[in-house]
Amino acid sequence: LKDMTIGRDAGHGGENPGAKSATGLTEKDINLDITHRIADLLRQRGATIVFSREGDTGPSMSERRKIFAEANIDLLISTHNNSGGSPLTTMGTSTYYKHVSDRVLAQCMLNRLLELDLKNFGLTGNFNFSLNSPTEYPNVLLEVLFMSSLPEEEKLANPDFRQAVAEKAVLALEDYLDIVKNALINK
């Protein structure tokens, strides 16, 4: 991760709060917190961080893509939380990618998050999310948990859990880079 430029996108923001939990947690705030926690850990490893938003702002998807394109990032993680289903049901964590070339990154991310004893909501490819469209750099959409699930909301409200998510995300990036490095060596 040293000397890499990593794009960090906290989903939603500003006028768009995203999902809202039963107790009033907003997705935009949880996403931003996790995004900053991941960024702090990446900086400790020597990476440069480029944010789509550092506070409660709401840049459009085209503005976010422009920020990352102009910064010439090496990789992007977009952090979100899901909503839907019964509030009493644990739904789980999931990762999304559009292009098959980003599948390994999404799989690494999902594998590490599952180490937090989370339910597997899935790995989804060919996903139509604007920030998954660029092919200039690997990218992944991370849906940590469901804001609408009471058991998962309880986890998301806990700063220690959000820190654990950040730590697993960084380990997933290291896993991914090891896979890419080994593939290049073995060519």
Side-chain angles (χ1 to χ4, degrees):
L1 295 167
K2 188 175 182 343
D3 299 325
M4 289 186 72
T5 301
I6 309 290
R8 293 295 301 117
D9 175 61
H12 304 286
E15 301 282 317
N16 181 358
K20 192 171 184 179
S21 75
T23 63
L25 294 175
T26 59
E27 182 185 359
K28 69 178 182 176
D29 295 332
I30 298 296
N31 295 346
L32 188 61
D33 181 72
I34 293 170
T35 293
H36 279 288
R37 290 173 185 273
I38 293 171
D40 290 344
L41 293 170
L42 290 170
R43 281 191 199 105
Q44 290 172 18
R45 287 167 171 77
T48 299
I49 306 303
V50 175
F51 292 99
S52 61
R53 67 179 185 96
E54 291 190 65
D56 191 15
T57 59
S60 69
M61 284 298 160
S62 61
E63 290 169 327
R64 292 172 197 244
R65 285 191 313 272
K66 183 178 178 189
I67 289 167
F68 296 133
E70 288 177 353
N72 196 29
I73 64 171
D74 297 308
L75 191 140
L76 170 68
I77 304 172
S78 181
T79 304
H80 287 252
N81 281 278
N82 233 324
S83 184
S86 164
L88 302 178
T89 303
T90 300
M91 301 295 285
T93 190
S94 53
T95 57
Y96 301 80
Y97 64 96
K98 182 170 180 92
H99 307 289
V100 70
S101 58
D102 294 327
R103 186 180 197 288
V104 172
L105 173 58
Q107 185 69 63
C108 288
M109 194 67 62
L110 182 61
N111 290 347
R112 285 295 185 166
L113 288 174
L114 291 173
E115 291 175 357
L116 295 173
D117 200 27
L118 303 175
K119 186 176 178 182
N120 184 347
F121 192 69
L123 171 70
T124 302
N126 199 26
F127 192 70
N128 192 23
F129 173 61
S130 181
L131 296 182
N132 285 139
S133 293
T135 56
E136 297 83 6
Y137 46 82
N139 57 72
V140 61
L141 167 60
L142 168 61
E143 293 276 1
V144 179
L145 286 175
F146 279 70
M147 302 285 296
S148 54
S149 164
L150 294 173
E152 293 183 1
E153 173 199 26
E154 185 177 354
K155 288 180 188 279
L156 290 168
N158 183 338
D160 292 336
F161 174 77
R162 295 191 307 266
Q163 184 64 33
V165 167
E167 290 167 4
K168 293 298 183 181
V170 171
L171 289 174
L173 290 180
E174 291 173 338
D175 294 344
Y176 170 73
L177 293 174
D178 283 344
I179 290 169
V180 170
K181 178 181 162 186
N182 289 333
L184 292 173
I185 289 171
N186 292 324
K187 266 192 160 182

